Structures are given as structure tokens and as C-alpha cells.
């Protein structure tokens, strides 16, 4: 089993004061109870990044920091956007690419997702490609074709040296923030399929995460029966205890499976 990865996507929650507070809390708990096997990443809003990376560095918190989005362009007239080089200067090492909320609400189509992924990889940051079907697609039984198309559009032709920087997060849109988690069978089927498609694109060792109403109660079965390498956590990442309990579950599952 590969080392589990647990990512907390704070979305548009927590201002910079609240973000500092949560990062400090995470630091205190992690000092007392380190998660030796798990890679933990927090993904705050842009305006919190500098504060969060400062706390992580000064308190030596065992966390990495990511951004929720980045522009596909490196510089220029793109009002409201943030570039990958700007993130890199802040010691941000991860970027979510193509989260379903960006795709649905901010017109991020497959082409822009692919361009953004290339930009993130070109600068040597870790890219978390988010894929997943809407409810209507699942109800019509077309989820496999849908996710396959998203994967091909984003990942075809990724350079060999950049492949280790790619993580895939399967997030069925109907499970995000809804309290409706996908069943472990649904997660297992899709995860296996994603690994097959990724392997056909020469991404043999890619980590596959699940996201969508993950919480401390469902994390163990999703990991063991669902066969994922970790989680992309939204709501449950906003409290230190629930986020780190999910991290602990991933840590314990790794110990059991190893
Ligand atoms: P959720 O969000 O855990 O609140 O469902 C997951 C996500 O959108 O990444």
C-alpha cells in the first residue's frame, strides 16, 4: 500500500485569523500524537496561505500546504486570478485542479483543467486532479465513460518526469457536501477503473483519493473496502479533531494493510 494522503479543502471558509488558529491547533495535536505514515495537506483560501505557511514553518507543524485553484497562465492581465509561481513563492506545494465547484460555477472546462494541470506540473508542484460525475450521469449509468473522458482530457501526454507529481481525487458531485457518501462498492469500482485508465496513460503508481462527505465514521470502510489511498475532505477538515481523526484512521489502515 502506498503512503496515505489526506487533504483538507477548507473551501471559502475561515478568514486568516481563524486559519492561523486552526493551523496552531493542528500543530499542537500533531506534536502530541504524530501521524507517522500519513501525508497531511491543508488547502486554505488564497488570502490565508501566507499566514498558514508562516505558522507551519515557525511551529514546525507536520503539514503541507496547498491552494484550491491556480491560473493556467504564469502572469499577465487575468484579474482575480493567482499564478502558480506566486503560490510557489509562498511555499505552497500542492494545487487542486478542476474541483467540481470550479468546473460547475466558474466555467472551468476540460481544456482549462488540462492547461492548468500542465502549468502546475511545469513548475514542479503536486497537482490533485479532481474528477467525478453529477447525479444525472450516475442515474443514467454513464459514470464510467464520464470519468474516463475527464481523465483522458487532463492526463493524456503528461511528461514522464511530471507523472510522480499527479494525484487523482474521485469526487462524485452528488456526494460533495451532501452528507450522501458513495457506497464502498461504488468507490471501489470507480477507483479500480481510474487506476486502469491511469495505467493506460503511463501513470501506474498514481495515488487515488476519494472525496465527498468523508467523516471520521466512514473513513475506515472507504479506505479498506473502497480501496483508496486517502481522502479529499471538505466539511470535516474545518475542525482539528475531525480532520486529524480521519488522518488517524488512514494511519491505522496503513498499519493494518502493510
Ligand atoms: P465534503 O467536500 O467533504 O464537504 O463533501 C469534499 C470536497 O469538495 O472536496
Amino acid at each position: 500500500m502506498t503512503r496515505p494522503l489526506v487533504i483538507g479543502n477548507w473551501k471559502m471558509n475561515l478568514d486568516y485569523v481563524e486559519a492561523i488558529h486552526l493551523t496552531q491547533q493542528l500543530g499542537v495535536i500533531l506534536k502530541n500524537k504524530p501521524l507517522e505514515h500519513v501525508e497531511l495537506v491543508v488547502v486554505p483560501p488564497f488570502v490565508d496561505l501566507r499566514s498558514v505557511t508562516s505558522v507551519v514553518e515557525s511551529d514546525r507543524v507536520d503539514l503541507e500546504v496547498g491552494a484550491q485553484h491556480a491560473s493556467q497562465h504564469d502572469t499577465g492581465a487575468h484579474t482575480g486570478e493567482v499564478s502558480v509561481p506566486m503560490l510557489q513563492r509562498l511555499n505552497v506545494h500542492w494545487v487542486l485542479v478542476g474541483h467540481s465547484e470550479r468546473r460547475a460555477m466558474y466555467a472551468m472546462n476540460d481544456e482549462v483543467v488540462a492547461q492548468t494541470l500542465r502549468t502546475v506540473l511545469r513548475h514542479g508542484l503536486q497537482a490533485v486532479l479532481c474528477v467525478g460525475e453529477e447525479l444525472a450521469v450516475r442515474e443514467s449509468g454513464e459514470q464510467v465513460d464520464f470519468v474516463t473522458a475527464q481523465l483522458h482530457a487532463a492526463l493524456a501526454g503528461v511528461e514522464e518526469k511530471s507523472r510522480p507529481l499527479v494525484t487523482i481525487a474521485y469526487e462524485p458531485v452528488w456526494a460533495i457536501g451532501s452528507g450522501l457518501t458513495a457506497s464502498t462498492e461504488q468507490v471501489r469500482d470507480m477507483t479500480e477503473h481510474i487506476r486502469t485508465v491511469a495505467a493506460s496513460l503511463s501513470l501506474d503508481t498514481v495515488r487515488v483519493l476519494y472525496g465527498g462527505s468523508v467523516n471520521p465514521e466512514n473513513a475506515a470502510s472507504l479506505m479498506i473496502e473502497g480501496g483508496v489511498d486517502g481522502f479529499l475532505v471538505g466539511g470535516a477538515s474545518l475542525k482539528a479533531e475531525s480532520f486529524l481523526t480521519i488522518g488517524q484512521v488512514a494511519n491505522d489502515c496503513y498499519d493494518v494493510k502493510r
Side-chain angles (χ1 to χ4, degrees):
M1 190 189 179
T2 38
R3 193 169 173 224
L5 170 63
V6 178
I7 304 179
N9 173 12
W10 296 356
K11 307 195 179 185
M12 200 176 72
N13 297 293
L14 309 180
D15 64 27
Y16 87 95
V17 178
E18 295 164 326
I20 290 173
H21 188 65
L22 177 55
T23 310
Q24 287 171 333
Q25 280 184 309
L26 291 168
V28 169
I29 302 176
L30 284 170
K31 285 251 152 62
N32 290 327
K33 211 170 175 211
L35 299 177
E36 49 170 343
H37 305 308
V38 177
E39 202 169 350
L40 277 182
V41 181
V42 292
V43 184
F46 287 131
V47 292
D48 299 351
L49 285 171
R50 174 105 174 116
S51 309
V52 171
T53 52
S54 298
V55 175
V56 165
E57 281 155 31
S58 65
D59 295 4
R60 294 172 201 265
V61 186
D62 195 8
L63 275 179
E64 290 171 77
V65 181
Q68 298 173 15
H69 171 69
S71 171
Q72 73 268 42
H73 306 288
D74 278 354
T75 182
H78 301 286
T79 303
E81 289 285 279
V82 171
S83 73
V84 176
M86 291 172 180
L87 296 170
Q88 203 167 21
R89 286 277 268 183
L90 289 172
N91 269 340
V92 168
H93 294 131
W94 294 79
V95 183
L96 305 185
V97 179
H99 188 279
S100 63
E101 287 153 16
R102 302 294 318 173
R103 291 181 191 255
M105 293 187 255
Y106 303 99
M108 201 175 179
N109 59 26
D110 276 344
E111 198 186 331
V112 179
V113 170
Q115 288 167 356
T116 307
L117 189 92
R118 294 291 177 289
T119 304
V120 171
L121 297 178
R122 181 160 42 81
H123 288 285
L125 276 73
Q126 303 267 353
V128 182
L129 171 68
C130 302
V131 297
E133 79 286 356
E134 281 162 29
L135 186 59
V137 175
R138 167 70 61 175
E139 283 175 346
S140 64
E142 285 160 18
Q143 66 276 6
V144 169
D145 289 347
F146 186 88
V147 169
T148 305
Q150 284 184 325
L151 292 170
H152 276 277
L155 296 175
V158 167
E159 281 181 46
E160 193 176 345
K161 68 172 181 350
S162 300
R163 288 178 197 146
L165 298 172
V166 177
T167 297
I168 299 169
Y170 170 54
E171 298 205 301
V173 179
W174 46 273
I176 295 179
S178 62
L180 270 181
T181 318
S183 71
T184 51
E185 297 74 41
Q186 288 171 327
V187 174
R188 172 165 289 282
D189 288 353
M190 190 59 90
T191 307
E192 281 175 2
H193 177 69
I194 289 172
R195 291 192 205 282
T196 306
V197 176
S200 76
L201 296 166
S202 306
L203 288 134
D204 303 89
T205 53
V206 71
R207 280 191 286 195
V208 181
L209 312 182
Y210 167 77
S213 299
V214 175
N215 60 45
E217 287 74 42
N218 60 24
S221 60
L222 284 166
M223 193 135 192
I224 293 169
E225 293 154 35
V228 292
D229 299 311
F231 303 110
L232 180 51
V233 186
S237 71
L238 297 174
K239 293 265 181 300
E241 293 75 16
S242 50
F243 183 55
L244 293 180
T245 305
I246 294 168
Q248 185 69 52
V249 168
N251 198 69
D252 298 347
C253 289
Y254 180 82
D255 257 345
V256 170
K257 277 198 173 180
R258 213 149 47 120

